[in-house]
Amino acid sequence: MGKWLEHTVTSQIDAPIADVWRFWSDLDSMPLWMTWIESVKPLNSKSNKLPDLTEWTLAANGFRFKWKAKINERIEAKKLQWESIGGLPTKGNVRFYEENNNQTSVKLTISYELPKVLARLMEPNLLGGMVTKELQTNLNRFKNLVEKNTN
């Protein structure tokens, strides 16, 4: 049994919540703004718009991991919650908050399980801070993509 680690990042996006949700739902564009993600493939849908089951490939620093994930909860333009069902043990959620007609807050939480010996290296003052920083950078890329394509 390992230890679960969690990272949470947020961003304020100058775009209506419907546009932010639409961009998040575009699985093909995820590798454009999420640098560790090489691909996201739908497994149970002919559409690439938020199928219930997907296969993810992460490639970073010479490591490659694949896993399947399922959406456990979907509330249109408000929340997505998911967990892996094989491969890399992960879970997470993203929440969308309408601040006004043209501004949306996004809060992304990612959790993953590592063996306890490796989890110690991921403490916030060691490598864990780098993971949080990378997630924030990715969310900022998402913000830039949305704002560039909606304004």
Side-chain angles (χ1 to χ4, degrees), residues 69-151:
K70 69 174 180 170
I71 293 177
N72 294 328
E73 184 177 8
R74 175 184 305 141
I75 303 171
E76 186 83 13
K78 293 201 182 299
K79 179 183 179 185
L80 278 176
Q81 184 172 318
W82 64 87
E83 68 179 328
S84 63
I85 54 167
L88 186 66
T90 66
K91 58 186 174 182
N93 68 72
V94 60
R95 294 177 178 260
F96 304 85
Y97 303 96
E98 186 172 33
E99 300 297 332
N100 61 48
N101 287 339
N102 293 312
Q103 196 170 59
T104 304
S105 291
V106 177
K107 180 179 179 183
L108 172 63
T109 301
I110 304 281
S111 302
Y112 51 92
E113 185 182 28
L114 291 176
K116 288 182 181 179
V117 68
L118 290 177
R120 288 188 195 112
L121 294 173
M122 297 305 291
E123 294 298 325
N125 58 342
L126 296 171
L127 296 176
M130 290 186 342
V131 172
T132 299
K133 184 178 178 184
E134 183 65 22
L135 285 172
Q136 185 65 59
T137 299
N138 288 332
L139 193 54
N140 292 343
R141 276 192 202 93
F142 175 74
K143 167 188 168 67
N144 292 338
L145 175 73
V146 173
E147 290 178 354
K148 178 182 173 187
N149 289 287
T150 59
N151 294 327

Side-chain angles (χ1 to χ4, degrees), residues 8 38-39 45 58 61 76-77 81 113 132:
T8 299
E38 184 176 87
S39 67
S45 171
L58 178 146
N61 301 321
E76 186 83 13
Q81 184 172 318
E113 185 182 28
T132 299

